[in-house]
Amino acid sequence: MRRLTNMTTTSDLAAGSRRPLAAGDLAQLYAAHRLPLVRLAILLVDDRASAEDVVQDAFASLAGRLHKLRDPDAALGYLRTSVVNGSRSALRRRRTARAYVPPAEAEPPGPDDRAVLAEEHREVLAGLDRLAPRQREVLVLRYWSGLSEAEIAEACGISRGAVKSTASRALDALEQILKGEGR
Amino acid sequence: MNTLESRLSEALNARAEQVQPADLGPGHVPATVSPVRRRLQVGAAIAAVAAVAAVAAVAVSVLDDDGETGPSPAPQPTVSDTSNPTTDATTDPTADPEPAPTTNPPEGDLGYLLPFDTTQYVEPGTTVRFGDGETAAITGGELVVTGSGSVLRGPLEGIDPQDDVSITRVSLGQVGNGYLLAQTPGGDSQIQELYVAGDGGGLVLAQPPGDVPFGFGYAEGFPDGYLTWTAGDGSGLFTRVQLGDPAGNRWRVYRWEVTGPGEGGGPELLARDLVPTDLGVVCFGSGNPPRSVTPC
């Protein structure tokens, strides 16, 4: 499980100074967190191009308000929230666009490289696709990012209680989906 | 971690590991904007807007002189203003999460913000009846609304169907009625979710934006707490976000609307997203719920 949280590199930034973050800090954040954030986004949106766009947008947004931040961990939290929100927006735009193309072209965007995954993993990921967006986000943040309930609550903009109940219900739903497919 | 959790963790990890550093496109660190430069940009934008307004005023004046048409009222923010699917402004991650400044305090009578609804919590399975005979209940893990010969159902997402819940109905314009569900899982935490009719004929959870909190609690960027409520007559759905010292009882208030069919004059929106309108800063009287509200 990846720990996409307060990584060591962030604690090195602006260490102890409490000065506003600067361009150099952003460069360090970018170098340290771009890949894990793209991986997070790809688990939410399924295709690499969208995932990279979402992450680039998140960094661009952070760049615009960097001078307001003094805490690198808050910057990472901001990035994470932006990626979750951006991924949800990307899915929504994709869903809206899909509604206006001829049915023959309305196939979901192919998670191209899933094909090389083990059958076992493909089944679980397909089940994850069938959950509500919020449920999927909570499970990804919990079981891949390894975030605490409080961190997930912050990233998703919901209460800790909602995180707990959403995760529980999402696991139940996933289990039912997998059982329904005879697994 | 049980078997399912392990399977899930392994599958997610396998999927994520498919993306290696070499796979990423050439990235670039976005340029930062210094505060001074930012102010200059804002100043330039204000100047540009003023210039455009001046030109527009002249144009309107000319039209008036010709007796062709009068000036139109200034456009007010509406759902359609912020719900264009091509701009997706409400959840745009690049949007500044700080609320946009508005005219403060808000003008006019603020009585529509009161009273706060005080719907009681009921046990699961209890049918809540509204004034026009419509009913709502939590049954079998779903919110079920019955009225006018139709039945709407929708799965609950964050609400525990085994626990007490309050169900409040609010009118949301073209989208129809919304059903605000609240639950207190423990301590002083509270879950609040709004369900509305979706495209498939069922009830769906309306998604809040990332930049304005919805519900009740505390969040990064909103350290002083926030609370969502419906006006007592069900005519409005609002969230207040506390500003500064709690003793000051100053709050920024947002009115919520929901994107839906026909909004924006274009293709029907499929998503049901909560869209906030910043109403400005007000002072509530003390007491819970408050009984007075004034501009401040």
Side-chain angles (χ1 to χ4, degrees), chain B residues 163-178:
Chain B
D163 201 358
D164 290 359
V165 67
S166 76
I167 305 174
T168 309
R169 190 176 71 172
V170 58
S171 176
L172 294 167
Q174 281 184 261
V175 179
N177 288 330

Side-chain angles (χ1 to χ4, degrees), chain A residues 30 34 48 52, chain B residues 20-28:
Chain A
Y30 195 82
R34 182 182 177 221
R48 191 179 305 158
E52 288 191 43
Chain B
Q20 293 299 314
D23 299 328
L24 298 183
H28 61 276

Side-chain angles (χ1 to χ4, degrees), chain A residues 138-154:
Chain A
V138 169
L139 291 188
V140 167
L141 291 170
R142 179 165 171 176
Y143 292 102
W144 183 74
S145 299
L147 300 188
S148 67
E149 282 179 2
E151 290 167 327
I152 297 171
E154 176 194 318

